[in-house]
Amino acid sequence: MRTKKKRRSSFLVQGTILAAAGILVRLIGLAYRIPMTNVLGEEGIGVYSAAYQIYNIILLLSSYSLPLAVSKLVAAKLAMREYRNSFRVFSGAMAFAVTVGALACAVTFFGAEFFAENVLSMTEAAVAIRVLAPAIFFMAVLGVLRGFFQGRGTMIPTALSQIFEQIINAVVSILAARYLWTYGLKVDKVHGTDIWANSYGAAGGTFGTLLGAVTALVFCIVVYTMYSRVIKRQLRRDKSGRRDSYLDISRMLVITVVPVIISSVVYNVSSLVDNSLFGFYMKNAGNLESYKSVWGAFSGKYLVMVHVPVAIATSLASSVIPALSRAMIRKERAKVLDSIHQTIRFAMLIALPSAVGLGVLAGPIMKLLFHGGNELASGMMMWGSGAVVFFSLSTVSNGILQGINHMRDPIINGVYALILHVVVLAVLLWVADAGIYGVVIANMVFGAAMCFFNAASLHKILQYKQEMKKTFLLPFAASAVMGAAVRGLYGLLYEATKSNLIALMTAIGVGILLYFALLLVFRCVDEVELAAMPFGRPLVSLGKKLHLL
């Protein structure tokens, strides 16, 4: 029983390591985006965010899927004790990363003006796009190293490299954005223009991304060098007698990478579609002047906050893929189904209270984090906090489908969801005249559609149907009660102290404890289930001290 429970929760533990790093990375990102937004203003951060979207899309097309593909293939080879073949996967993937990364870097650098003018309708973004181009090459190589470690069952190198990457990113981005924005302001005064402050300021922000990628790559190379003795010992112990040719490995990589690339692009291209369609809508409406500031509030405030809790789902998806690959190779159907159930359930235990908390405390959170002009961002958060749930669930279910070797399903489902997304967005913009709120709602529709289509695919493939009561209904009920309580508590504390910081931090702290207590009161989890989760033993001890278990 203990062995089963240990195996059952091992991928959750690894996922929690990566999730903890992911949350810390998001918090660091939030911490530096706040002063950077305050330095650049909503227009400048809008230029930065637009340039970053081009970077993200090209990264997706070139190498974003490499960690997932490498981890999946390495895990499959190790499950069969083919140590030499697992290392050959790593070597072949590295050659692929260097080639594709260099090509993508060149396309981004020399095509920067085209992307800025014709895709984004923001000529100011060209300089920032050029600065980001070398980062694509470094991220490609870094992705192979991270995937190699993840495939071997450890998320620690990936987690630490992400933290170091983000720390360097944060420090350099703030300093460079401030310095180059000031320099651009001087250039604007000399030439009588109003574009260079935003252009150079955004480029300063992206310079942090470049140096962060270099730092993470150096760290992973050092870890790999230290780990090389273990790899050599395993290579000597390999008695499988089977040697995959590099042609076979290349074929496996392509078969794995291409569907993941396509599904990732389809899944993430919605933000670029939003940017383009909303820019076209604002231009036709004669509001091009406010376009950058409105988009800055959406991408630099609303989306940044939404993506903090979604980081947990992304980490769980990364950790469950190797576990599912090993279970599929060994034909352990029960373990596959149990892993799926635990992953989705754990993701919802985090996503549901996060969505409710962001919705009911949207105004105070925006007021605390950002300077002035937060009414629009607060409204978007109130209307769109449900995106946390939909994108968490769709991210996890995408990873599950990829882990059980059904790579095409996320692509097909993503295409259907994207078509629906575009239709809904067009109606909301040009028929309902909903403005940026149309983008918020259309995003939630996209995430919800992905959840529905992925659930249908899992049911068709595995006859899997997620348990509803403990996964969704009871956690939502606990979240709703918690949300009402923290909103009321915040109001009382703010009236008493007139301090947004004190009222908000106290309400959040009480909300976390209340949600944990309600999970036990509502029987969302029992003692055995809680103990099997990450940090389960301390939570069980706390529950018993509170006489809730």
Side-chain angles (χ1 to χ4, degrees):
M1 179 69 180
R2 286 185 63 186
T3 302
K4 182 179 178 181
K5 186 167 71 174
K6 184 177 178 181
R7 291 174 61 193
R8 179 184 183 188
S9 61
S10 61
F11 74 91
L12 282 180
V13 172
Q14 291 297 322
T16 301
I17 292 172
L18 202 56
I23 293 172
L24 181 58
V25 164
R26 296 289 184 184
L27 292 175
I28 295 171
L30 184 62
Y32 87 80
R33 284 291 287 267
I34 294 167
M36 198 165 74
T37 300
N38 294 332
V39 168
L40 299 180
E42 290 187 340
E43 287 193 10
I45 205 68
V47 174
Y48 168 86
S49 299
Y52 214 85
Q53 284 182 352
I54 296 297
Y55 164 76
N56 275 336
I57 293 298
I58 296 178
L59 191 65
L60 286 170
L61 287 169
S62 59
S63 58
Y64 185 81
S65 60
L66 280 175
L68 185 152
V70 173
S71 69
K72 180 178 170 63
L73 293 176
V74 167
K77 294 300 177 184
L78 291 177
M80 297 182 288
R81 300 184 183 278
E82 296 180 9
Y83 301 113
R84 290 191 180 275
N85 285 334
S86 71
F87 185 75
R88 281 174 169 251
V89 168
F90 169 72
S91 302
M94 186 60 72
F96 177 88
V98 170
T99 303
V100 174
L103 179 62
C105 172
V107 169
T108 307
F109 186 85
F110 294 108
E113 289 186 0
F114 171 82
F115 293 127
E117 293 177 8
N118 297 285
V119 178
L120 300 174
S121 301
M122 286 187 190
T123 56
E124 304 97 316
V127 179
I129 293 172
R130 280 201 179 93
V131 173
L132 285 167
I136 295 174
F137 173 78
F138 295 123
M139 289 300 294
V141 178
L142 177 62
V144 174
L145 287 164
R146 285 173 170 171
F148 181 67
F149 289 120
Q150 290 172 20
R152 299 181 72 85
T154 175
M155 305 293 165
I156 295 176
T158 296
L160 290 177
S161 68
Q162 286 178 345
I163 293 170
F164 294 146
E165 174 188 356
Q166 193 71 326
I167 290 173
I168 297 299
N169 186 4
V171 174
V172 174
S173 292
I174 295 170
L175 295 177
R178 186 184 299 276
Y179 175 79
L180 289 179
W181 185 85
T182 303
Y183 174 76
L185 200 61
K186 294 177 181 177
V187 174
D188 280 330
K189 288 180 180 179
V190 171
H191 295 283
T193 57
D194 61 353
I195 62 172
W196 294 111
N198 290 333
S199 179
Y200 286 148
T206 57
F207 188 62
T209 301
L210 172 59
L211 287 189
V214 173
T215 302
L217 177 58
V218 171
F219 172 79
C220 282
I221 290 173
V222 171
V223 173
Y224 175 80
T225 302
M226 295 170 62
Y227 197 67
S228 59
R229 292 182 181 179
V230 176
I231 297 172
K232 289 177 182 178
R233 283 200 300 267
Q234 288 184 337
L235 293 179
R236 289 194 295 267
R237 293 204 311 265
D238 187 349
K239 298 179 181 180
S240 63
R242 179 179 174 181
R243 298 293 178 268
D244 292 333
S245 68
Y246 282 107
L247 181 61
D248 290 335
I249 290 170
S250 299
R251 189 179 298 112
M252 285 189 292
L253 273 173
V254 170
I255 291 173
T256 306
V257 165
V258 171
V260 176
I261 287 175
I262 297 173
S263 63
S264 298
V265 169
V266 170
Y267 188 68
N268 290 276
V269 79
S270 61
S271 61
L272 188 60
V273 171
D274 291 342
N275 198 334
S276 298
L277 288 180
F278 185 66
F280 186 65
Y281 162 80
M282 294 290 280
K283 186 176 181 180
N284 286 349
N287 293 326
L288 197 58
E289 288 297 319
S290 61
Y291 163 48
K292 284 180 285 188
S293 61
V294 172
W295 188 258
F298 172 77
S299 59
K301 296 179 179 179
Y302 166 73
L303 284 184
V304 167
M305 295 304 303
V306 166
H307 286 158
V308 171
V310 173
I312 296 177
T314 304
S315 302
L316 285 173
S318 297
S319 66
V320 78
I321 287 171
L324 287 175
S325 296
R326 287 190 290 268
M328 291 294 288
I329 288 289
R330 296 166 180 164
K331 298 182 180 179
E332 298 173 333
R333 175 180 169 80
K335 186 175 181 181
V336 169
L337 296 178
D338 189 58
S339 296
I340 294 172
H341 173 77
Q342 291 297 317
T343 303
I344 293 177
R345 192 169 170 204
F346 186 67
M348 290 300 98
L349 286 174
I350 303 298
L352 285 165
S354 299
V356 171
L358 286 173
V360 300
L361 297 175
I365 289 172
M366 292 297 175
K367 181 180 178 181
L368 177 68
L369 297 179
F370 301 101
H371 293 169
N374 292 316
E375 292 79 10
L376 182 60
S378 299
M380 284 188 278
M381 183 59 69
M382 290 175 64
W383 282 92
S385 62
V388 171
V389 176
F390 298 133
F391 282 105
S392 293
L393 182 55
S394 59
T395 298
V396 166
S397 55
N398 269 1
I400 290 169
L401 287 168
Q402 291 161 354
I404 61 174
N405 299 322
H406 283 263
M407 316 293 286
R408 291 178 57 191
D409 288 74
I411 299 174
I412 297 170
N413 297 341
V415 170
Y416 291 153
L418 185 60
I419 292 171
L420 180 61
H421 170 82
V422 171
V423 171
V424 170
L425 180 58
V427 171
L428 290 172
L429 289 179
W430 280 281
V431 178
D433 198 25
I436 194 65
Y437 289 99
V439 179
V440 172
I441 295 170
N443 261 280
M444 289 197 293
V445 169
F446 175 80
M450 281 295 299
C451 295
F452 175 80
F453 294 138
N454 285 351
S457 294
L458 283 172
H459 182 69
K460 181 179 178 181
I461 297 164
L462 298 172
Q463 289 73 54
Y464 179 82
K465 188 175 181 180
Q466 185 69 30
E467 179 274 335
M468 297 293 292
K469 184 178 179 180
K470 286 189 173 182
T471 303
F472 299 104
L473 299 180
L474 292 179
F476 176 73
S479 301
V481 174
M482 178 272 295
V486 297
R487 181 63 211 182
L489 177 62
Y490 170 83
L492 292 174
L493 289 173
Y494 186 76
E495 286 297 320
T497 64
K498 302 301 179 183
S499 170
N500 181 54
L501 175 63
I502 294 174
L504 182 59
M505 291 298 100
T506 304
I508 290 174
V510 171
I512 293 171
L513 292 175
L514 178 60
Y515 176 69
F516 172 70
L518 289 170
L519 286 180
L520 300 182
V521 171
F522 290 174
R523 299 293 185 264
C524 298
V525 291
D526 57 32
E527 183 175 341
V528 174
E529 292 170 331
L530 188 61
M533 290 182 179
F535 308 110
R537 290 182 180 178
L539 292 176
V540 168
S541 177
L542 178 61
K544 288 182 176 180
K545 288 179 180 178
L546 296 173
H547 303 289
L548 297 173
L549 282 175

